[in-house]
Amino acid sequence: MNAGEQARAVGDAVLYEGYLLYPYRASAPKNRVRWQWGVLVPPSYASAEIGEHSSARVECLAEPADHPILHVKLRFLQARTRLDTEWDEAVEHEIDFELPLSRLPVETPFQVPGDGQRTQELSGVLTARADPLDGPFGGARLRLDLHNTTSWPADGVREHALRHALLAAHLVLSVDTGHFLSMLDPPEWAKPAVEACRQERLWPVLIGDTARSTVVLASPIILYDDPAIAPESPGDLFDGTEIDEILTLRTMTLTDEEKREARATDPRAAAIVDRVDAMPPELLERLHGAVRSLRPVQPSVTVAGVRVAEGSRVRLRPNLRGADAQDMFLAGLVATVRTVLTDVDGVTYVAVTLDDDPGADLQHTHGRYRYFSPDEIEPLEGAE
């Protein structure tokens, strides 16, 4: 998956996160108050007192090369009423802007037509500017402002205002030459410029290569650099990207009548219920016990002068003052190292299976391990 495809996948999660919450029925109370982030309402309804806004801003840093062009993809949902129910569906929109940095600042209006009955006309404007950074290192600060300029005589009803709003609005920025800098982990020389940047309801994160990324996602949800959808996820659930298993299991428990109501609520809800009903056991098993915060980064770790790697046999010496009280039952047992990993903070862990566990090979097949710090294992003679 390239950076553009990754940005779209994460952007889709941003678009539909919260679109339709479990139990996926219009009658559910939590589905009667919708669209909680990335909402840009018409100016006539916007008010800081009630926490509704008509604009958003993102600022980020770039090191452009010769004659760079900034490509901006605006993505949002438009509410569409159902004639047979009070439920509002969503229509997905994308608008592309091609902005040579040499011509900034620019102000570019856009419009989305409506049919006057199910959808309402929307209008907005995207402004962009680039300012060179102070100092000898070069680079530029990019600023993009997104405004909903839709004219609507506000009646004070949020549900009505949402039909004239940009919903789950976000931007995907890319440059054809040069690259963006991380706003979370910038180089030392760029830290003062990062601190001077101002974000309003959009936060920039790098997509793909976090050292020299050419793509930035300006998200209404705060994310880490290089966000990605978990590979275990079988499809959209609209109610969280980290709890696929529990949402799937809970959907399985819906009664036939509840499932009928969910299917009637929205085509996307129907697709969720149908997918869960048809999910094979092996796909559900993939969701259980998946560890996403660890990744292999080194083939081995040295413990007491001995190289410990995949296949090494070790004796467990768990720190009994740790968080897992059950580790006391593992003290002294022999285990086989399956892999060496590190977490997002760079801390190393050794993943093992117990040698006397008859289900060790099955656990290894499914990637379900016990994790210990290097100082909690003792290499056995002949460990490699």
Side-chain angles (χ1 to χ4, degrees):
M1 180 181 295
N2 61 36
E5 293 170 340
Q6 183 178 339
R8 175 176 291 278
V10 177
D12 285 346
V14 170
L15 277 178
Y16 292 105
E17 176 71 16
Y19 168 76
L20 184 62
L21 304 177
Y22 171 87
Y24 307 118
R25 303 193 307 270
S27 61
K30 60 184 177 180
N31 280 323
R32 296 175 182 173
V33 182
R34 304 170 69 202
W35 319 117
Q36 301 304 315
W37 51 74
V39 176
L40 302 183
V41 297
S44 59
Y45 185 77
S47 168
E49 294 181 358
I50 61 174
E52 301 287 358
H53 304 273
S54 62
S55 65
R57 171 184 297 178
V58 63
E59 293 186 351
C60 59
L61 305 184
E63 290 188 296
D66 294 337
H67 310 295
I69 295 178
L70 175 65
H71 299 271
V72 181
K73 185 181 293 292
L74 165 62
R75 308 185 75 213
F76 61 92
L77 299 177
Q78 177 188 30
R80 178 172 63 189
T81 59
R82 290 264 297 270
L83 300 181
D84 57 340
T85 177
E86 295 182 358
W87 178 261
D88 282 353
E89 299 174 326
V91 181
E92 185 176 324
H93 291 286
E94 288 187 1
I95 302 176
D96 292 305
F97 305 86
E98 190 173 285
L99 310 173
L101 260 63
S102 61
R103 299 182 184 177
L104 301 186
V106 297
E107 183 176 288
T108 308
F110 61 89
Q111 282 192 323
V112 176
D115 61 17
Q117 184 178 17
R118 298 188 63 193
T119 59
Q120 304 300 317
E121 180 179 295
L122 304 176
S123 62
V125 62
L126 178 76
T127 63
R129 62 178 297 156
D131 298 304
L133 298 179
D134 296 332
F137 298 102
R141 177 187 295 110
L142 303 180
R143 169 179 161 181
L144 292 96
D145 290 275
L146 177 62
H147 297 266
N148 182 348
T149 60
T150 304
S151 177
W152 174 64
D155 60 7
V157 180
R158 186 176 189 267
E159 289 75 11
H160 297 167
L162 293 177
R163 295 168 185 170
H164 304 266
L166 310 182
L167 304 172
H170 61 279
L171 304 172
V172 179
L173 316 179
S174 62
V175 288
D176 55 347
T177 60
H179 59 272
F180 294 99
L181 298 179
S182 172
M183 303 295 286
L184 298 176
D185 187 23
E188 194 66 31
W189 65 266
K191 288 183 178 180
V194 168
E195 293 174 357
C197 287
R198 176 182 166 193
Q199 319 298 343
E200 295 181 358
R201 293 171 289 284
L202 287 174
W203 288 268
V205 294
L206 299 185
I207 298 294
D209 188 346
T210 56
R212 302 179 66 85
S213 177
T214 60
V215 179
V216 158
L217 172 66
S219 166
I221 304 172
I222 298 177
L223 301 169
Y224 288 106
D225 281 339
D226 197 25
I229 302 300
E232 298 88 1
S233 181
D236 297 327
L237 289 167
F238 308 145
D239 204 353
T241 57
E242 298 297 331
I243 50 176
D244 296 51
E245 181 186 21
I246 188 63
L247 283 173
T248 299
L249 292 172
R250 292 178 69 180
T251 303
M252 287 179 174
T253 67
L254 294 175
T255 66
D256 289 342
E257 178 58 33
E258 290 171 330
K259 290 181 179 180
R260 280 193 291 271
E261 185 183 349
R263 288 188 173 101
T265 293
D266 187 278
R268 295 183 178 93
I272 291 174
V273 175
D274 292 344
R275 185 176 69 244
V276 168
D277 279 352
M279 182 174 291
E282 60 269 21
L283 187 55
L284 182 62
E285 180 67 22
R286 284 179 53 198
L287 301 179
H288 185 67
V291 179
R292 299 168 183 165
S293 60
L294 299 175
R295 59 186 185 277
V297 296
Q298 55 189 25
S300 64
V301 63
T302 300
V303 179
V306 177
R307 179 177 175 270
V308 174
E310 180 182 356
S312 298
R313 297 178 70 246
V314 298
R315 193 175 302 278
L316 303 180
R317 302 295 186 189
N319 179 0
L320 299 184
R321 292 170 297 182
D324 193 343
Q326 295 186 25
D327 282 353
M328 70 174 65
F329 302 111
L330 305 179
L333 296 184
V334 175
T336 297
V337 174
R338 297 298 188 172
T339 187
V340 179
L341 309 108
T342 187
D343 65 13
V344 295
D345 295 318
V347 179
T348 298
Y349 292 91
V350 177
V352 306
T353 55
L354 299 178
D355 284 11
D356 64 354
D357 186 345
D361 289 339
L362 180 62
Q363 291 178 5
H364 177 50
T365 300
H366 292 285
R368 299 175 64 183
Y369 305 119
R370 301 175 187 270
Y371 299 92
F372 295 90
S373 301
D375 62 358
E376 294 182 300
I377 62 174
E378 174 188 312
L380 296 180
E381 184 178 355
E384 300 179 353

